[in-house]
C-alpha cells in the first residue's frame, strides 16, 4: 500500500464562518475548494462538500446544506472534483452570483437554470471591494481520452486572481505550468497545487512557481483528501517541498476548515 500524506484533523465550522469580520480569512475545504470571508463578503471557489466519487481520507468541514450564504461562487473548470453537481444543487439557492469560464457558466445554466456569468480569460470583474481576474490554465486532459464528449479548449479552464482589501490570493487552478504563470505580480498567497501529475503542474514546476514568488503564503490544495493511493493527482506530499521551497515557513499545511488570515507582504 502506497503511503498517502494526510492533513491535520478537520476543524468543522458553521454559519459563524460567514459572519462579518475585520480581516480576510481563507478556509481550505478539502481538495481544491476554499471559503474566503473578506470582511463579511463570502466567496466559495471550487467547493466540493459532497458528491466525491471516491472515498475520502478526511471529514469535510461543513455540509453543503448548512452553507448560509454565498456572495460569489467561482468555478475554475468542469471536472467533478471542482464542479460538483451534488454540492451546487444545495448551495446555488443561497448564492447571489456565480462566475466561471464561458463553457462552465453555460453548464450551470443547463444543469441548474442558474444565471452564472461566463468570462473570457484575462477578463476582470468587481464586486464591492473585491476585484477578480481570470488567469489562464492548461488542463486539456479530456482531449486525450479515446472518446472525448467534446473538443475542449484552453478557455474552458481558468485560475482566479482575487484582490481584497487585505491582500491578494491567486488560484492558478488545475494547470500545467504556463510561462505567463511565472510573470504575474507578487501575490500574497497562492492556493497551491503541487500534484506531481502530467496534467497538473508537476512537482518540479510547482517548486519553480513557489520560488518565483518567494513571499507568497502557499495554501496547499489538491492533496490529502481522496483515498486513492495509486492516483498521483491526489497525492502530493508536503514533505517533498521542504528543502526545495525557499522560505519554507510559508508552506501552509492547513486542516480542512482551519482559518488562515490573508495579509499583505
Amino acid at each position: 500500500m502506497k503511503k498517502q500524506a494526510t492533513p491535520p484533523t478537520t476543524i468543522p465550522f458553521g454559519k459563524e464562518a460567514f459572519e462579518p469580520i475585520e480581516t480576510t480569512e481563507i478556509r481550505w475545504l478539502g481538495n481544491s475548494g476554499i471559503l474566503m470571508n473578506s470582511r463579511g463578503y463570502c466567496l466559495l471557489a471550487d467547493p466540493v462538500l459532497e458528491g466525491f466519487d471516491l472515498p475520502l481520507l478526511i471529514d469535510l468541514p461543513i455540509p453543503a446544506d448548512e452553507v448560509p450564504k454565498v456572495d460569489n461562487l467561482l468555478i475554475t473548470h468542469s471536472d467533478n472534483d471542482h464542479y460538483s453537481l451534488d454540492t451546487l444543487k444545495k448551495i446555488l439557492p443561497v448564492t447571489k452570483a456565480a462566475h466561471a469560464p464561458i463553457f462552465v457558466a453555460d453548464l450551470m445554466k443547463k444543469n441548474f437554470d442558474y444565471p452564472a456569468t461566463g468570462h473570457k480569460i484575462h477578463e476582470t470583474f468587481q464586486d464591492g471591494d473585491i476585484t477578480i481576474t481570470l488567469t489562464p490554465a492548461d488542463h486539456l486532459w479530456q482531449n486525450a481520452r479515446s472518446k472525448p464528449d467534446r473538443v475542449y479548449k484552453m478557455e474552458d479552464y481558468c485560475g482566479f486572481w482575487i484582490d481584497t482589501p487585505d491582500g491578494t490570493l491567486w488560484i492558478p487552478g488545475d494547470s500545467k505550468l504556463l510561462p505567463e504563470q511565472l510573470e504575474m505580480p507578487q501575490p500574497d498567497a497562492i492556493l497551491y497545487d503541487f500534484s506531481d501529475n502530467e496534467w497538473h503542474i508537476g512537482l518540479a514546476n510547482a517548486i519553480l512557481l513557489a520560488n518565483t514568488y518567494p513571499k507568497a503564503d502557499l495554501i496547499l490544495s489538491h492533496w490529502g483528501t481522496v483515498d486513492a493511493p495509486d492516483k498521483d493527482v491526489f497525492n502530493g506530499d508536503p514533505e517533498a517541498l521542504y528543502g526545495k521551497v525557499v522560505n519554507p515557513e510559508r508552506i501552509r499545511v492547513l486542516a480542512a476548515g482551519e482559518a488562515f488570515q490573508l495579509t499583505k507582504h
Side-chain angles (χ1 to χ4, degrees):
M1 178 82 59
K2 293 183 180 179
K3 171 182 175 288
Q4 287 188 272
T6 56
T9 302
T10 295
I11 301 173
F13 63 84
K15 63 181 180 180
E16 74 284 349
F18 297 80
E19 294 175 354
I21 56 177
E22 296 181 354
T23 59
T24 295
E25 290 183 345
I26 299 166
R27 296 174 193 259
W28 179 57
L29 302 177
N31 201 53
S32 298
I34 62 160
L35 163 65
M36 171 186 282
N37 181 339
S38 183
R39 306 189 184 191
Y41 179 97
C42 292
L43 176 155
L44 289 177
D46 288 354
V48 182
L49 299 173
E50 58 180 77
F52 276 100
D53 57 3
L54 292 166
L56 299 182
L57 296 167
I58 61 171
D59 294 323
L60 300 177
I62 185 171
D65 57 7
E66 293 184 14
V67 172
K69 71 159 189 172
V70 182
D71 293 301
N72 200 333
L73 171 67
L74 305 179
I75 304 291
T76 60
H77 64 290
S78 62
D79 286 354
N80 65 4
D81 60 331
H82 297 255
Y83 179 84
S84 165
L85 296 175
D86 291 342
T87 299
L88 294 176
K89 181 179 179 180
K90 294 184 177 180
I91 67 172
L92 284 176
V94 297
T95 297
K96 293 181 181 178
H99 299 266
I102 292 170
F103 169 67
V104 180
D106 288 344
L107 272 184
M108 294 178 71
K109 295 169 188 173
K110 176 182 176 181
N111 294 148
F112 302 103
D113 195 27
Y114 186 90
T117 302
H119 298 274
K120 297 179 180 179
I121 305 303
H122 299 300
E123 192 170 325
T124 295
F125 58 96
Q126 188 164 0
D127 192 1
D129 293 332
I130 307 297
T131 302
I132 300 172
T133 301
L134 278 71
T135 61
D138 178 357
H139 193 55
L140 293 165
W141 69 271
Q142 291 100 329
N143 292 343
R145 296 181 298 187
S146 58
K147 295 182 179 179
D149 57 344
R150 62 188 289 273
V151 176
Y152 285 80
K153 302 175 182 179
M154 287 277 285
E155 58 263 34
D156 298 337
Y157 312 80
C158 77
F160 291 103
W161 183 275
I162 305 171
D163 286 308
T164 81
D166 302 300
T168 299
L169 171 67
W170 180 27
I171 303 174
D174 289 5
S175 179
K176 296 182 179 182
L177 185 65
L178 296 169
E180 184 175 339
Q181 293 172 331
L182 300 177
E183 299 170 354
M184 307 290 287
Q186 171 72 46
D188 296 303
I190 300 172
L191 188 65
Y192 184 64
D193 177 14
F194 59 112
S195 303
D196 198 12
N197 174 271
E198 63 178 326
W199 297 107
H200 285 244
I201 191 169
L203 181 60
N205 283 331
I207 291 166
L208 173 60
L209 183 78
N211 292 341
T212 299
Y213 306 104
K215 297 180 180 180
D217 286 301
L218 305 173
I219 302 171
L220 304 191
S221 75
H222 220 295
W223 80 288
T225 303
V226 172
D227 187 0
D230 293 321
K231 294 183 181 292
D232 56 11
V233 66
F234 296 117
N235 281 294
D237 186 344
E239 290 299 321
L241 302 173
Y242 291 96
K244 298 174 182 176
V245 167
V246 299
N247 304 326
E249 68 279 359
R250 63 201 177 96
I251 300 171
R252 307 297 181 176
V253 185
L254 300 183
E258 180 180 355
F260 171 79
Q261 187 168 318
L262 180 65
T263 56
K264 294 180 180 180
H265 296 304

